[in-house]
Amino acid sequence: GGGDKDCSRRWGKLLAVYPADVDAGVNAGADVRGSFSKSTTHVMHSATVASGESGGPLISAAGEVLGVHSFGDAFYGGARDVAVAATTAIVDQIVCLRRRDPVPPSEYATSVINRRVMASSDPALAAMCPELSAEQRRSWIL
């Protein structure tokens, strides 16, 4: 069949993980595959991600869901994307949220969501891309 004959760009390479020390065995430049430690929260990779794929899965060549696409620098001509790692710890947090009492609508206000996203993602992006200023990180994330 047709398709991309060079899958290395589609599946991408691992560029960094956050926190860096928890996945010391994961080498930058390795193919994006396998799973990460339960402490990993963010994964930077070079897999092809089209505009509009935020919230979609980061899938390994073996078909495993490794994370959820979140943000990247494709809008700026780059080839780096960050996914929230699909670890057991993250899945456990989601399950716990679903079991909580109903969340008031005010918790879904854009300003509240943006604060939460920045609080969880800015430290990860700062560690994985120390060359970015705070303003650049904000433009990537939001």
Side-chain angles (χ1 to χ4, degrees):
D4 186 0
K5 294 185 192 290
D6 178 11
C7 290
S8 63
R9 177 73 182 115
R10 175 65 189 139
W11 303 116
K13 299 289 182 187
L14 181 67
L15 303 176
V17 295
Y18 179 82
D21 59 335
V22 299
D23 274 319
V26 176
N27 298 320
D31 290 335
V32 175
R33 64 179 76 228
S35 59
F36 305 102
S37 78
K38 69 179 188 175
S39 300
T40 298
T41 60
H42 292 77
V43 179
M44 180 173 283
H45 60 87
S46 65
T48 301
V49 178
S51 177
E53 286 187 350
S54 293
L58 170 62
I59 301 175
S60 73
E64 301 162 303
V65 175
L66 301 176
V68 177
H69 292 294
S70 299
F71 53 86
D73 67 349
F75 291 114
Y76 309 103
R80 298 179 287 184
D81 192 71
V82 177
V84 173
T87 62
T88 55
I90 298 292
V91 172
D92 287 346
Q93 287 179 21
I94 293 168
V95 169
C96 286
L97 285 174
R98 291 193 53 158
R99 291 184 180 156
R100 282 186 14 193
D101 290 332
V103 178
S106 60
E107 291 296 306
Y108 293 107
T110 301
S111 60
V112 173
I113 298 297
N114 285 350
R115 273 195 305 278
R116 288 184 182 148
V117 168
M118 284 300 295
S120 67
S121 296
D122 189 54
L125 188 55
M128 293 187 293
C129 297
E131 75 279 6
L132 297 177
S133 68
E135 183 177 317
Q136 289 170 315
R137 292 191 311 270
R138 183 174 176 78
S139 69
W140 270 44
I141 296 168
L142 299 178

